[in-house]
Amino acid sequence: MEAAPDTTQPRWQQALKRITSLILHQWLLIGIGIVCALAYCFPNVAKHGGIIRSEYSIMYGVIAIIFLISGLSIPRQKLISQVLNWRLHVIVQVISFLFIPALVLAIVHIILAADAEGKIDRAVLAGYIFTACIPTTIASNVVMTRSAGGDDAAALVEILLANILGPFVTAAWTIALMPKTVEFEPWRYGGGDLGSMYKEVFQQLGLSVLLPLFIGQLVRWTWPDRTASVMQKTKLPKLATFCLLLLIWATFSSYFATGALQTLSAQSIVFVLLFNIILYIALTAVCFLCSRPPRIFSSRRWSKPIFKCMSPEETIAVCFCGPAKSTALGIPLLYAMWQPVDLFLKAKTSVPVLLYTTEQICVAHFFVQLFRWWHARIVEKEDLDDTGDDVEIGMADNSPGNHAGRGHEHTTV
């Protein structure tokens, strides 16, 4: 007999396939690197007020596309049920507006006590207090939650609630938490006019979030089957992930145009880069524990409604919404609050906002893979449990007693 031909691929082809697979799986991180490089080389293209007028083309147009896709994808009943989910609102909003500001404020005071020489720029510390008080981000939460297999309706509801509360809560909360020292006087007495900021924020929220969402829901309600079929065939939800790259491009273009990063000390830059990653991972862990607390907390009858475990899909939504912060509201609010403050000082204050919101997308990209794996394991375990119950019922039905009973029934009939 003739030997079978060797069908194994050469090593270079196998290596090429592995590299291609890696690029496809990590294309978002590679894309972030590309748009950051473009923003650094050509900051005037996508900066605020730049060539493409990103404050309209991207901050309105791109975000509108993301929420139009969400409106087309989410069933109306699912959206309504999450509006009534009070425990979801409490966990996300308390973490976002109370827990994170308290934690960051404590860390800032520890740094002030340990850094008497001022190696960490005080504008960076003021920027972190401000960052802690702004609401969750508008676009990336829905995209990441959907990619990880979570409940995008829950994420969408929390985004809307947080960004409606944010303009009223953030300004007062930031000023109240600012340290009462001479170093922080420029940020405690900014004297900005918030009226124009409120108008701009709610205009953006209405035109880029609520209106596209309403249109998407209207189309889905009118042609439900056709809409679902088109969404599945065209893979339209994947377009929302690409839109994140455009948001990052615009954010970093405005950031590099100010030149604020170059003036910060090396200690400040290292601190910001590392602290953002540690803070985001820690906050994600807190959100996970709040969503699925240990059983010991729900052992008593009175504590069950408060500490009961959320579904895996809702847990994923909480873990992406709770730690995240928004540049869409944060940057306009920062410049409105501290309007009389020197532009260069405002640019340095915005560094924590810009870098945290960018790094959160990078870290969240890895959490998408982790939560997708965790969600698949939970579903697999539930399927095995259901299969085990069915087997037990089948064994009970086939037991000798049941056969005897059935035989007796048959003879009597």
Side-chain angles (χ1 to χ4, degrees):
M1 296 179 63
E2 294 183 2
D6 187 11
T7 58
T8 58
Q9 294 178 334
R11 289 185 177 180
W12 69 269
Q13 288 187 359
Q14 294 178 8
L16 184 62
K17 279 192 172 181
R18 289 177 183 174
I19 294 171
T20 304
S21 177
L22 179 65
I23 291 173
L24 291 175
H25 279 88
Q26 306 299 331
W27 72 269
L28 182 61
L29 292 181
I30 296 171
I32 290 174
I34 293 173
V35 297
C36 287
L38 290 173
Y40 179 78
C41 296
F42 312 102
N44 293 325
V45 176
K47 72 174 184 178
H48 187 91
I51 296 173
I52 66 169
R53 304 288 289 179
S54 63
E55 67 271 24
Y56 300 113
S57 61
I58 292 180
M59 300 310 293
Y60 279 83
V62 170
I63 292 177
I65 291 173
I66 292 174
F67 282 93
L68 177 62
I69 293 172
S70 297
L72 294 169
S73 305
I74 301 173
R76 186 177 70 260
Q77 293 302 323
K78 187 178 178 183
L79 199 59
I80 294 173
S81 68
Q82 293 301 345
V83 171
L84 303 176
N85 190 344
W86 64 269
R87 187 164 175 264
L88 176 72
H89 306 329
V90 169
I91 289 178
V92 174
Q93 305 309 326
V94 166
I95 289 175
S96 184
F97 288 119
L98 293 179
F99 179 78
I100 297 177
L103 176 63
V104 170
L105 182 64
I107 294 171
V108 167
H109 280 289
I110 292 172
I111 293 172
L112 289 174
D115 183 32
E117 299 178 0
K119 292 181 179 179
I120 304 298
D121 199 303
R122 295 323 185 223
V124 169
L125 298 181
Y128 266 116
I129 294 175
F130 173 77
T131 304
C133 297
I134 59 179
T136 189
T137 187
I138 292 178
S140 62
N141 288 346
V142 174
V143 176
M144 295 297 182
T145 300
R146 186 187 297 122
S147 298
D151 192 335
D152 48 354
L156 182 56
V157 169
E158 295 314 306
I159 287 168
L160 293 175
L161 181 59
N163 282 272
I164 289 171
L165 294 173
F168 303 104
V169 173
T170 301
W173 200 213
T174 301
I175 299 301
L177 295 180
M178 203 61 68
K180 308 299 189 289
T181 61
V182 177
E183 297 172 300
F184 291 89
E185 278 189 8
W187 296 280
R188 284 193 294 123
Y189 304 103
D193 179 17
L194 299 180
S196 59
M197 184 277 302
Y198 287 136
K199 180 182 177 182
E200 180 181 346
V201 167
F202 286 113
Q203 177 179 305
Q204 181 180 2
L205 193 63
L207 294 178
S208 63
V209 177
L210 294 176
L211 182 60
L213 179 64
F214 173 77
I215 293 173
Q217 284 286 289
L218 184 62
V219 171
R220 185 180 178 91
W221 180 70
T222 307
W223 302 286
D225 296 333
R226 188 179 301 177
T227 302
S229 176
V230 170
M231 294 293 289
Q232 185 175 6
K233 289 179 180 178
T234 59
K235 306 293 183 181
L236 199 58
K238 292 185 180 297
L239 177 62
T241 308
F242 174 74
C243 291
L244 287 181
L245 295 178
L246 298 178
L247 290 171
I248 295 171
W249 179 40
T251 300
F252 265 85
S253 294
S254 299
Y255 173 66
F256 285 125
T258 62
L261 181 63
Q262 291 85 335
T263 62
L264 291 177
S265 63
Q267 293 92 335
S268 296
I269 296 173
V270 172
F271 167 75
V272 170
L273 292 174
L274 295 179
F275 180 65
N276 288 342
I277 296 174
I278 295 170
L279 180 63
Y280 187 84
I281 294 174
L283 292 175
T284 303
V286 170
C287 290
F288 186 86
L289 289 175
C290 290
S291 303
R292 297 178 74 86
R295 291 184 179 179
I296 189 172
F297 290 103
S298 57
S299 58
R300 301 193 178 187
R301 183 178 299 176
W302 62 269
S303 63
K304 283 184 179 180
I306 302 174
F307 294 105
K308 72 175 182 179
C309 286
M310 287 184 166
S311 68
E313 294 78 14
E314 290 177 349
T315 301
I316 293 171
V318 171
C319 288
F320 282 116
C321 290
K325 296 296 178 180
S326 170
T327 52
L329 179 106
I331 296 303
L333 182 56
L334 185 149
Y335 279 84
M337 282 176 58
W338 294 305
Q339 189 174 2
V341 176
D342 179 66
L343 179 62
F344 182 69
L345 189 60
K346 285 187 289 190
K348 289 202 295 184
T349 308
S350 68
V351 168
V353 186
L354 295 170
L355 286 184
Y356 182 82
T357 52
T358 303
E359 288 183 76
Q360 78 187 8
I361 294 176
C362 297
V363 179
H365 174 69
F366 292 103
F367 275 122
V368 165
Q369 312 300 325
L370 180 62
F371 280 123
R372 189 183 292 167
W373 170 81
W374 173 74
H375 182 255
R377 287 202 60 182
I378 294 291
V379 172
E380 183 181 354
K381 183 179 178 182
E382 290 175 351
D383 290 343
L384 288 174
D385 291 342
D386 292 341
T387 304
D389 292 341
D390 292 341
V391 170
E392 289 180 3
I393 292 172
M395 292 177 63
D397 289 341
N398 291 325
S399 62
N402 284 341
H403 281 297
R406 287 173 185 171
H408 179 69
E409 263 183 1
H410 182 70
T411 54
T412 56
V413 172

